[in-house]
Amino acid sequence: PGTPHHPPVHAPASSPDLRPHLQALHDAVQLGHLRGVQQALRQLEAADPGSAAFVERLRALALDFRFEAMAGLIGEARDVRPA
């Protein structure tokens, strides 16, 4: 869900192709490793250009070191099932 300052952002569907990218991103977030997070975001965006808005939202959170908020969004994305 969005807030007045942050509208909801479509999370990528967790297809088998994206699961490794989401897992790598999750792992980097859990470690609090900013460079690892940035690298994982680049890889996710390259694998699924349609996830650009999701990636940009996560990039903004990463720059503010809001790893807990990122973990929540990544968890939601990992739980999405492809249609």
Side-chain angles (χ1 to χ4, degrees), residues 2 8 31 58:
L31 292 171
L58 291 173

Side-chain angles (χ1 to χ4, degrees), residues 10-66:
H10 172 70
S14 291
S15 69
D17 297 335
L18 296 182
R19 286 189 185 277
H21 299 291
L22 290 170
Q23 184 62 49
L25 180 56
H26 175 265
D27 293 347
V29 166
Q30 292 302 310
L31 292 171
H33 189 257
L34 182 59
R35 286 187 185 160
V37 167
Q38 291 170 330
Q39 179 180 356
L41 288 171
R42 284 191 300 272
Q43 291 171 346
L44 175 60
E45 192 172 30
D48 180 15
S51 67
F54 178 72
V55 168
E56 284 305 312
R57 174 76 189 276
L58 291 173
R59 277 193 182 117
L61 291 171
L63 291 175
D64 287 338
F65 293 94
R66 296 190 54 208

Side-chain angles (χ1 to χ4, degrees), residues 64-82:
D64 287 338
F65 293 94
R66 296 190 54 208
F67 295 118
E68 188 173 317
M70 291 180 70
L73 290 175
I74 295 163
E76 290 173 18
R78 292 170 70 194
D79 289 341
V80 172
R81 300 288 182 254

